[in-house]
Every structure is written in structure tokens, then in C-alpha cells.
Amino acid sequence: MAATSFLALAITSVAHAQSAPAQSGSPEQPGTALEAPSSEIIVTAQKRSERVNDVGMSIQALSNVALSNAGIAAPQDLVKIVPGFNSNPTPYGSNVFTLRGIGYQETTLSAAPTVTVYSDEVPIPFSPETAGVALDLQRVEVLKGPQGTLYGQNSTGGLINFIAARPTDTFSAGGEVSYGRFDAVDINGFVSGPLSSTLKGRLAFSASQGGAWQKSYTTNAKLGERDLLNGRVLLDWDPASNFHASLNVSAWRDHGETPAPQFFGIQVLTPGAELLMPPGLLAYPVAPKNNRAADWDAGVDYHRRNSLLFSSLKLKYDLDEDVSLTSMTSYQRFKRNQPVEGDGTAFQDYSTIQAGDVKTWYQELRVDGSFGGKGNWLIGGNYEHDTVFDQFRILNRDGSFSHVLLSLSPLTILNLPGNYEQTDQKIKTVAAFANVEYPLTETLKLQGAARYTQTTRDFFGQAYDGVNGNTAFFFTLLQAQLRAAYGIFTPSGQMPGLNDCLSLGAAPTFLMGCRKDRLKQDNVSWRVGLNWKVDANTLIYANVSQGYKAGSFPTIIASTQAEMDPVTQERVRAYEVGLKTSLFDRTLDITAAGFYYDYRNKQTIGRYADIAFGTLLKLLNVPRSRVAGFEVAASWRPVAGLTINPVLSYTDTKVRGQFLNFDYVGAPADFGGRAFPLVPKLQTSVDAQYRWALAENLNAFVGGNLTTQSGTYTSFVPNANERVPAYQLVDLRVGVEAGNWRFSMWGRNVTDKWYWTSATRINDALVRQTGMPRTFGATIGFHY
């Protein structure tokens, strides 16, 4: 779905979809009655079709209309309409997804996310692979809290399942074109219908071009161009009444430009380091206070070369009226070549190129049935095999080689051009799971689920000089100095050459080499819940669940082998109570939930003190922490044509006990009692839309959305340089519908609010990741 897709479709909830769900073979069309209660939306969160208000868990279902109204083009855009969800771009070009405070601020390609993205129940295992998942959707389901008992990849924060629009029983086609600020053009469309008496197909595509929104404040150059092509073929085959096959083959390629951060200062940590900086960097002007302003290295091509091929085959066979066998098979191939500007200046003080190659095989087999019409059961297993190549290359720095010769400091060595880090990982995951739902009385239902998972990661990591030998030379000199401090004056061996491993080992020998390791862990995740159906329109539920996220190894500029130590698996035990109800003749739908998470071994980026290099980045486990909060969402239809959707989310996080580490400048600190980085306590959203008839077969609508978010920090220790202030964003839309045609005009961040989603120190520079400036445009589309 393009960023500006379907904005002229009429009334729907943005916080909760207001329309009845689009059934397979019957996509929603403009001009139909879209005011059915949100409680009637059908979801498949538990691998079967149910009304969302009958599911005893925190789940948000968003129709394609709701997503389109909000301009959802990728998972990170859900921050505007999903309470408790957050997404922040890292300084290394990736997005980190967080739900209810559970996130993982790690940029390694192979890092298992805390919030897993799925496409039609098939996991897309790593967050950078999700750029094209929001194409031609029927709906999105967001499940909050620990997951794993029913879905193929464990996660501690939750999951987002993007469900594609299905092939239709009769011929159907549609498409639209949008044009917006910065010459942004979005085109998307689909063709769907029967191919034979037993076979149906659907072809969908989208293209997003132009839109270079960043502007250099020193040269007037532009950056941020989009170039995303996306396509999908779906085939549904029903050769018999008890057999169904569904094939999904999709692919996207992203050649857009990686945006630059916004520079706002220099922070020199090592005495004398300013002598090694490019001349003029200390006096470089800070960026103006607007979202567009940024700077980047001249003459560098920042176009990405990223792509994903996704394929899945789902086979379902009904053994009898009550028992079905389902098989899901998937192969995925992701390739990445992504340049990233690091310091936000025209000097090459710090920039990187990230390359990667991921192959994934996934297989799930499950059997489900009912207890003679009373309750349901499910049992199954899955296997996943991931092969991940991840490379991180430093391109810095400007200045002549004489500047490097002034010092043999660790800072100098770390910033020599040509420093590579490369990892190869093989990840095998085997799991078995079961789920049972059984009515204790006519109104009280018991749910139970469990999953055993074993994950094995085989790791090979190497830091090396791949350019001119200078890095290898300086590492050899530094090693000699360190060995001499321990009274060892004999050489450790032949000086390493190009492509030889440079990471220093432990004292006193400091032997250079690669890192080969294995991490093998298992766990049992589970969930127990009670659902009380008070009446036909009210559900009260209580759940206790436990979930895990696998440990991982980092891809980091590993000057020492210790930097490549893994983090072990983390665990969340969640307690939740909730209410779902419809009031006043079903004109007011309310959902509310309160939750408390006992968090053990939270995975995070921290630092450790090294004898040679001072404080270096390293993955760490926070032994004990907790998350507490609540969410309230409503959908109110006070009069015909008017829908108002307020949402409130409050999340309080805290590290429990003592946790000693270092802050972003390397100073010792106790993180005990601190809040998690980049988790705002308060998030709110209010969406309103009014729709009315202008004439026969001609309708108009006007709507808007106000989103607010409280302030936070990029690290555990609050400081001015890593502060992310509170912000409010306003979107507006207006349009008309005439039969199968629609036209709309829209604006996003219409107040042109200057805001940023993270801020930190990269090398010597202080930088921010700013949000999008004001954008506006128009969309015209049709549906046949």
C-alpha cells in the first residue's frame, strides 16, 4: 500500500477499524455503509475466525480503510494509531519496534526482535526485512504482550500480523495515484478474480518514487528520495471441499536514499582528539530548527540496494468436520547494501556501509479441532533455519594521514578508514506448541497454551582491515605496547595483513584473532487465561503469560573479542486484565487493559571497560526490571456519519535493583531505578471523521488525527544531549466519493512540528533523527 493510499475511503476508525471486515473474496469498496461496530471485526489471532471482542487478549484489528486513512505504508507508521506502539530509527538506518515498553535497541541484522512482524501468519524474522509488508492489505492485527504459544517466533513484546487481501470470486480491479509535496508520487493497484472453477488469483503492485525531503543547510543539496517497488501474486486453489491451498509470492526492492541525521554539536571525550578531527569540524554550524535541515558527505551515493523475496505455501486439509491439518512452508531471501551518514556534517567524520544476506526456511505443521463443538484445541510444531551474513564497514575519516600519525590512541585506531566487522550466523529454531480453550460454564471460558522452543546460534565474527593495511599496522603496534605493560616483549607472531582478524584477545597476551562461538538455549513459554462473557456485548478477561526472546551475537566494530560476547535469552512474565464492551445500542465501543510485566535479563546495548580502548559498546543483560501501565481506546458514533476514536496509553518502565554500567560518554553510572530508553510514558491519539451526502451517489468527508507523545531519552541516564522532547502531530483529510471513484486531499504534520525520535553521540558528533516535515497532496482512485 503506498503512503497515500485509499485516503478518500469513508468513515472508519483509525484507532479501531469501524467497518465490518473485508471477507475473503469481498474487499471493501467506497460508498458502502462503513459504520458497523468495531466489535464485529473478525480476526484470526488464535488461528481461527472470531469476533475481536470475543478474544480474551489485548488485540487491535485495523482494516485496510483505517490504515489508508492514517497513511500507513510500513510497520513503523503504526505509531500514529496503535496505543503503546513505538518505532524509532537508529543511527545505523534500521527501525526498532517497541510495544508497551518492550524493545531492543540493537541494529545487528540477525538480532531477534522483541516485536515480530508476520505476513499471513508467516514470521519475517528480522526487522530490516519488513519494508514492503504493507501491500494490498485486508487488515492488520496487533497482539500485545509475550507471544509464541501460537505463532512461529517467540517474542516478548508482541507481534504484528499483516494479512493480505484475498483473491475474489468475481473479477475485481482497483488502483490509485497520489502526488504530494517534494514531488512524491505513489501508484498502486490490484487485479483479482477467478482463473478457473477451482483457482482464484490476485496481483497487486505499488511504486513509490521521488520525495527527497531533506535539504542541506550549507549546500542546498537534497536527500531522502524514495524508490520502492513492490509486488505480490496470490493464488487460492480449492480442488475439493475439504482441501485448500494458498500460494503467496511477493518481492520488493528499495533503492531509496538513507536519510541523514541532524547535527547539533561536537562532544570531545578524549584529550587531544580534536587534533585528529578534520579541520573545521569543531566550528561546524549546527542545523537550523526544522525537520528538513541536515548535512551529509558530498559526492557519496546514499541510495540503498535492499531487496526481499518472500514466498509461502499454506495447505489445509479437513480430516473430518472437527479436525483439520495445516502446513505452512516459507522461503525468504533478503539482501542489503545500505550506506548510512553518521555524523550529519559535510565532513566524512563517520559514515558506514552495511551489507547483508539472509536466507530463511520456515516450516510449520499443526492439527486443530474441537471437543465435539465445545471448546477448541490445537497442537503443532515448527522449524526455522536462518543463514545470516552481516557486514559493517566504517568509511571515516577526512584529513590527511599525518593527523593519524600524531597519536596512537585507541580513538585513532578505531576511526581508521577500512575497518570492517563481518559476522556469519546460522540459527536453528525448533518448537512444539499446544493450545486449549474450553468452556467451564455458558459464560466462563478457560484458555491454556504452552510452547517449547530450542534455539541454536553458530557464530563466526571477524574485524579486519580490508583496504590498505593501516588498521592492521596500528593494531600490531598497540598490541606490542599492551604486551610490554605485562612484561611480554616477544612478538606475538606475524603482523596481520589484509582480511586477517584483528580483534584483540584477553590480557596478558592480547592475541589477535576471530571469534567462533555457539549459543544454545531452550525455554517454555505459556499462557493461562479466563474469559467471562458478561453479556452479548461485554467481555472481561484475565491472563498470565510468559514469553522469551532468543539471545544473539552482535555485529559491531569489535576491537576486542570480548565485544562479540552474546546476550542470553530474555524473559517476560505478564499479568493482564481487560474489558471489551459495546454500550448505548452499540454506538460506543470501549476496550481497556491494565498490565504488569516482570522482566528478566532484558537485552540492551551497554558498555564495558577495556584496558586498551576505554569504554566500548557491548550487548548486556539487565538482570531485573518491570513494566506497568494501562490502555484505553474507544470508538464513538454519536450521530450518523460522525465517528470519534480516542486512545490513551500509559507505560511506566523501571530497572529494578542495582545495575552498574556506563553512560553515553563513558562515565560510570548506576541504572537502578531508571526508565527504559525511548519509551514515552504517555501516548494519545484522537481521530475524528464526518461523512455526509452531497447528492445521490455523491458523498463527502472531512477528518483529522491528533497524536501526542511524552518526552523520553535515548539512554538510561537522562541528559540534555540525548533528550527526546514531547511532541504533537496533526493530520487532516478531506474528500469526495462518486460511485467507484474517489478523490481526496490530505496533509500530515500540518503544523510543521519540529521533532525528533532519538538523539545521541556518534563518534565526535551529537546528532538527532528528525521526523518528517509537513507534507500534503492529493489522491485519485477507483475500484471496479
Side-chain angles (χ1 to χ4, degrees):
M1 172 183 309
T4 53
S5 62
F6 290 104
L7 285 174
L9 290 177
I11 207 163
T12 182
S13 163
V14 170
H16 285 278
Q18 295 309 301
S19 61
Q23 302 298 323
S24 177
S26 180
E28 291 173 285
Q29 299 183 33
T32 57
L34 299 176
E35 298 172 345
S38 60
S39 57
E40 295 299 317
I41 295 177
I42 304 299
V43 298
T44 55
Q46 300 190 107
K47 303 294 180 73
R48 63 181 183 274
S49 297
E50 304 170 278
R51 288 195 323 154
V52 65
N53 269 24
D54 292 335
V55 180
M57 64 173 63
S58 185
I59 174 174
Q60 186 168 3
L62 303 161
S63 74
N64 62 342
V65 182
L67 298 166
S68 302
N69 278 345
I72 305 301
Q76 56 265 30
D77 299 329
L78 291 171
V79 68
K80 295 195 290 184
I81 57 175
V82 175
F85 176 77
N86 214 294
S87 174
N88 65 277
T90 71
Y92 300 99
S94 301
N95 282 283
V96 173
F97 306 142
T98 301
L99 265 172
R100 290 180 172 175
I102 309 296
Y104 186 29
Q105 299 297 325
E106 155 69 319
T107 60
T108 297
L109 179 56
S110 60
T114 60
V115 180
T116 305
V117 173
Y118 290 73
S119 178
D120 287 342
E121 300 182 11
V122 175
I124 301 177
F126 309 112
S127 297
E129 300 175 304
T130 63
V133 71
L135 171 68
D136 189 33
L137 298 174
Q138 184 182 99
R139 68 181 182 277
V140 171
E141 297 177 5
V142 182
L143 280 64
K144 300 173 184 178
Q147 304 296 325
T149 55
L150 284 174
Y151 284 81
Q153 188 177 61
N154 280 349
S155 58
T156 45
L159 67 87
I160 307 171
N161 189 19
F162 286 79
I163 300 170
R166 305 308 308 171
T168 51
D169 296 324
T170 59
F171 177 78
S172 180
E176 58 186 18
V177 178
S178 298
Y179 180 79
R181 190 183 181 193
F182 311 120
D183 292 325
V185 178
D186 293 284
I187 303 172
N188 67 72
F190 75 92
V191 178
S192 177
L195 301 175
S196 73
S197 60
T198 59
L199 183 65
K200 297 180 292 186
R202 188 180 184 105
L203 171 67
F205 66 91
S206 70
S208 181
Q209 305 288 319
W213 58 278
Q214 290 191 307
K215 185 176 181 180
S216 168
Y217 57 93
T218 61
T219 66
N220 288 326
K222 294 181 180 180
L223 189 69
E225 180 182 64
R226 301 176 303 163
D227 185 1
L228 177 65
L229 299 179
N230 201 356
R232 178 194 294 131
V233 175
L234 290 179
L235 295 175
D236 283 351
W237 185 43
D238 296 281
S241 61
N242 63 343
F243 179 77
H244 175 77
S246 180
L247 176 67
N248 179 338
V249 179
S250 58
W252 60 261
R253 70 106 172 113
D254 182 7
H255 289 179
E257 294 176 313
T258 306
Q262 191 173 81
F263 172 81
F264 68 97
I266 289 288
Q267 188 161 31
V268 179
L269 301 182
T270 304
E274 61 272 13
L275 298 175
L276 307 173
M277 294 179 184
L281 181 59
L282 279 174
Y284 201 86
V286 300
K289 295 181 178 181
N290 67 74
N291 292 322
R292 293 194 66 188
D295 256 345
W296 52 91
D297 301 342
V300 175
D301 182 3
Y302 286 99
H303 285 91
R304 298 181 286 263
R305 296 292 186 271
N306 300 344
S307 64
L308 175 73
L309 170 65
F310 176 95
S311 62
S312 67
L313 175 64
K314 182 178 181 179
L315 306 175
K316 185 177 181 181
Y317 181 68
D318 296 330
L319 301 175
D320 57 34
E321 292 183 357
D322 291 328
V323 180
S324 297
L325 173 67
T326 302
S327 169
M328 298 177 63
T329 306
S330 176
Y331 173 74
Q332 302 169 45
R333 177 76 181 273
F334 175 68
K335 294 183 179 181
R336 178 169 77 172
N337 190 307
Q338 181 169 283
V340 179
E341 167 65 30
D343 58 272
T345 74
F347 294 103
Q348 199 177 65
D349 184 57
Y350 189 87
S351 56
T352 63
I353 292 180
Q354 297 165 357
D357 192 333
V358 182
K359 301 182 185 71
T360 296
W361 281 101
Y362 176 81
Q363 176 63 52
E364 178 176 314
L365 191 66
R366 65 179 187 259
V367 182
D368 65 275
S370 65
F371 297 104
K374 291 183 60 177
N376 302 279
W377 58 268
L378 180 149
I379 187 170
N382 54 52
Y383 172 80
E384 182 177 327
H385 184 274
D386 304 292
T387 302
V388 185
F389 166 79
D390 192 11
Q391 186 186 77
F392 186 102
R393 177 188 174 190
I394 289 182
L395 299 179
N396 63 317
R397 70 174 46 233
D398 276 341
S400 68
F401 189 61
S402 62
H403 289 123
V404 176
L405 294 176
L406 290 174
S407 173
L408 292 181
S409 72
L411 177 66
T412 305
I413 296 173
L414 286 171
N415 289 325
L416 284 169
N419 198 350
Y420 286 74
E421 171 66 14
Q422 181 174 301
T423 63
D424 291 275
Q425 299 191 48
K426 293 183 179 180
I427 310 163
K428 296 180 181 180
T429 304
V430 181
F433 55 88
N435 184 80
V436 175
E437 183 178 287
Y438 194 80
L440 302 178
T441 69
E442 290 186 358
T443 60
L444 191 64
K445 186 181 295 184
L446 174 67
Q447 291 182 308
R451 172 190 175 99
Y452 171 78
T453 305
Q454 183 185 85
T455 303
T456 303
R457 284 183 177 246
D458 289 306
F459 173 83
F460 180 81
Q462 59 180 131
Y464 63 97
D465 183 340
V467 178
N468 53 23
N470 291 332
T471 303
F473 171 72
F474 280 106
F475 263 77
T476 302
L477 292 181
L478 177 62
Q479 182 197 52
Q481 293 177 354
L482 295 171
R483 289 166 62 89
Y486 282 84
I488 303 175
F489 297 96
T490 56
S492 62
Q494 183 178 357
M495 188 182 85
L498 292 179
N499 304 317
D500 288 338
C501 295
L502 302 176
S503 300
L504 295 174
T509 59
F510 299 98
L511 294 178
M512 287 184 278
C514 304
R515 175 73 181 267
K516 187 176 183 180
D517 206 345
R518 166 176 280 195
L519 179 65
K520 185 175 183 179
Q521 293 187 290
D522 62 358
N523 58 71
V524 176
S525 55
W526 50 265
R527 182 168 74 94
V528 177
L530 278 175
N531 298 341
W532 179 28
K533 195 68 174 178
V534 180
D535 55 43
N537 296 320
T538 302
L539 174 71
I540 297 175
Y541 67 88
N543 290 322
V544 181
S545 60
Q546 179 169 286
Y548 291 83
K549 186 181 88 68
S552 61
F553 295 87
T555 301
I556 196 169
I557 298 300
S559 303
T560 69
Q561 294 181 39
E563 288 177 85
M564 292 184 273
D565 289 346
V567 282
T568 58
Q569 63 186 1
E570 66 178 29
R571 189 212 77 184
V572 169
R573 182 171 295 168
Y575 305 85
E576 179 177 334
V577 294
L579 166 72
K580 301 181 180 184
T581 188
S582 296
L583 304 172
F584 308 122
D585 197 24
R586 298 167 68 185
T587 61
L588 175 62
D589 296 325
I590 297 175
T591 63
F595 53 89
Y596 180 89
Y597 294 170
D598 179 15
Y599 204 173
R600 300 299 173 96
N601 292 322
K602 171 181 170 57
Q603 299 169 1
T604 188
I605 286 279
R607 289 172 171 81
Y608 87 105
D610 181 75
I611 189 173
F613 297 98
T615 56
L616 297 177
L617 292 176
K618 186 177 181 181
L619 296 182
L620 299 172
N621 289 104
V622 181
R624 298 173 63 227
S625 52
R626 62 97 174 132
V627 180
F630 64 88
E631 295 167 354
V632 180
S635 177
W636 185 32
R637 298 168 297 281
V639 297
L642 176 63
T643 305
I644 303 172
N645 304 286
V647 173
L648 170 66
S649 174
Y650 176 83
T651 306
D652 183 60
T653 62
K654 182 182 289 187
V655 175
R656 299 171 62 191
Q658 188 181 63
F659 180 56
L660 301 176
N661 202 241
F662 303 89
D663 65 14
Y664 82 113
V665 295
D670 181 5
F671 294 168
R674 302 289 189 183
F676 295 173
L678 297 173
V679 179
K681 277 193 174 184
L682 187 66
Q683 291 176 276
T684 67
S685 174
V686 179
D687 184 85
Q689 184 161 286
Y690 182 62
R691 180 174 181 262
W692 71 99
L694 293 175
E696 184 178 359
N697 205 31
L698 180 63
N699 299 314
F701 69 87
V702 59
N705 181 276
L706 170 65
T707 303
T708 66
Q709 181 170 294
S710 62
T712 181
Y713 293 89
T714 306
S715 69
F716 285 98
V717 180
N719 65 88
N721 288 333
E722 293 190 305
R723 178 172 172 260
V724 180
Y727 61 83
Q728 305 82 35
L729 301 177
V730 178
D731 294 353
L732 297 174
R733 57 187 181 268
V734 61
V736 294
E737 302 170 346
N740 292 330
W741 291 87
R742 54 199 176 270
F743 174 78
S744 68
M745 295 182 292
W746 42 265
R748 304 198 179 106
N749 188 13
V750 296
T751 64
D752 208 19
K753 174 69 176 180
W754 175 49
Y755 72 104
W756 55 94
T757 56
S758 67
T760 192
R761 176 180 62 87
I762 297 295
N763 210 16
D764 314 300
L766 298 172
V767 295
R768 304 182 178 110
Q769 306 293 327
T770 59
M772 285 292 293
R774 175 170 50 228
T775 56
F776 44 82
T779 301
I780 186 168
F782 76 96
H783 189 290
Y784 174 78

